Amino acid sequence: MFRTDRATGELNLGASKSDTAANVARNRRLFLTELDTARMKLATLRQIHSGVVREVSAAQKEPLRGDGLITQHAGLLLGIQTADCVPILLIDPDNRTVAAFHAGWRGTVKRIVERGVGLMRMRYGSRPEELLAAIGPCIGACCYSVGEEVVSEFHSQFCYSAELFREVYDLDPVKQKYPMLFLTARAPGHSNLGPQTHLDLVEANRRQLLDAGLKKRNIWSSGECTACNPEKYFSHRGEHGFTGRMMAVVGIR
Ligand SMILES: [Zn+2]
């Protein structure tokens, strides 16, 4: 269950190189028992940073590829695995429909959550103004520096993209005083010294939910940054890739 060699594997819920399949299976059982959902079947995905949303009625033996799940079936628990990316859960209480999405920057550019709401409308008659959304802990705008390719992808897709980025200067006093010491530490174009561009993935997904017709008051966000809270959350960035996965789940009993 727990790794002791690095402080990164505690209650890891996702298959990754940093843990064994047996550990993950045992951790998932503990997790579901703790949530009092041990009798429900867990449906997860082989997440591929896509815009693919799957409608499911049963847990698959081999997880489907994709980054969104929708179901109306009671007893099925939809699980999204993250360690910095944004987990988003949707509930349609009127229609008893639930959905879960994995949105990193790629899935966000592909509008996975906007597409998901569209699918709920089309296939299940969901009314967006009735939907409740929860955005889980993910890497915050405080920590999520991105490269130019990410900025240009967002600019090409969203008219409000400028509102999703901010310039952040490195406030490390040592680096400011002795910039020459750090000039060679990084590849060209990736200097720590100039302003870094930070992306607000929560806001990006909140905008998509609003555009899809959700009410502002029906969108809840944890507001916590995974990279700022490594003692509490797994963070791919914060732990340099060697980390576990958290899981966000939603289902109908
Ligand atoms: Zn942070």
Side-chain angles (χ1 to χ4, degrees):
M1 169 166 85
F2 299 113
R3 294 182 65 95
T4 50
D5 49 343
R6 292 276 300 269
T8 49
E10 293 194 0
L11 209 67
N12 169 37
L13 296 169
S16 81
K17 290 190 195 88
S18 317
D19 210 345
T20 68
N23 280 345
V24 173
R26 193 161 52 228
N27 291 343
R28 285 184 176 182
R29 278 198 300 277
L30 282 170
F31 173 62
L32 297 181
T33 304
E34 187 64 29
L35 286 178
D36 197 19
T37 52
R39 289 159 149 239
M40 297 177 78
K41 289 266 181 287
L42 183 64
T44 56
L45 287 164
R46 194 158 149 241
Q47 298 171 185
I48 51 175
H49 295 279
S50 70
V52 177
V53 181
R54 302 284 194 170
E55 296 169 76
V56 289
S57 54
Q60 317 286 324
K61 200 149 183 68
E62 271 299 306
L64 298 166
R65 288 161 64 91
D67 294 274
L69 286 163
I70 301 181
T71 197
Q72 271 194 323
H73 280 254
L76 197 60
L77 203 59
L78 310 179
I80 288 296
Q81 302 156 79
T82 58
D84 284 345
C85 290
V86 190
I88 300 152
L89 305 177
L90 292 180
I91 297 173
D92 178 346
D94 290 350
N95 279 332
R96 285 175 67 84
T97 308
V98 292
F101 304 93
H102 162 247
W105 76 262
R106 287 190 177 85
T108 302
V109 164
K110 287 169 187 154
R111 293 186 153 85
I112 185 155
V113 90
E114 222 175 311
R115 291 161 83 142
V117 175
L119 206 56
M120 289 174 84
R121 290 178 67 157
M122 187 172 73
R123 302 268 300 159
Y124 304 98
S126 292
R127 294 192 305 151
E129 62 272 25
E130 304 293 334
L131 296 180
L132 307 176
I135 302 175
C138 59
I139 193 160
C142 42
C143 295
Y144 193 31
S145 74
V146 294
E148 279 167 32
E149 77 282 5
V150 177
V151 179
S152 69
E153 289 262 6
F154 274 78
H155 284 337
S156 74
Q157 285 295 320
F158 306 103
C159 59
Y160 51 81
S161 66
E163 297 165 43
L164 306 177
F165 293 95
R166 66 171 87 142
E167 301 279 278
V168 176
Y169 285 84
D170 196 326
L171 296 176
D172 185 335
V174 179
K175 286 184 190 158
Q176 291 200 325
K177 196 164 177 195
Y178 307 105
M180 293 305 281
L181 280 178
F182 300 93
L183 274 180
T184 54
R186 292 189 134 204
H190 295 274
S191 168
N192 266 335
L193 303 169
Q196 294 180 343
T197 306
H198 284 206
L199 168 59
D200 189 340
L201 274 181
V202 170
E203 181 58 16
N205 283 283
R206 207 180 66 87
R207 289 296 289 257
Q208 288 189 28
L209 290 168
L210 291 171
D211 281 357
L214 272 79
K215 289 218 157 82
K216 211 185 233 173
R217 66 162 187 273
N218 288 342
I219 304 170
W220 175 88
S221 168
S222 99
E224 285 192 295
C225 168
T226 44
C228 282
N229 296 282
E231 70 295 331
K232 195 168 170 189
Y233 300 120
F234 291 126
S235 171
H236 195 264
R237 283 267 176 119
E239 294 164 306
H240 307 290
F242 188 95
T243 189
R245 295 288 178 278
M246 303 178 290
M247 192 179 283
V249 291
V250 65
I252 306 159
R253 280 191 201 275

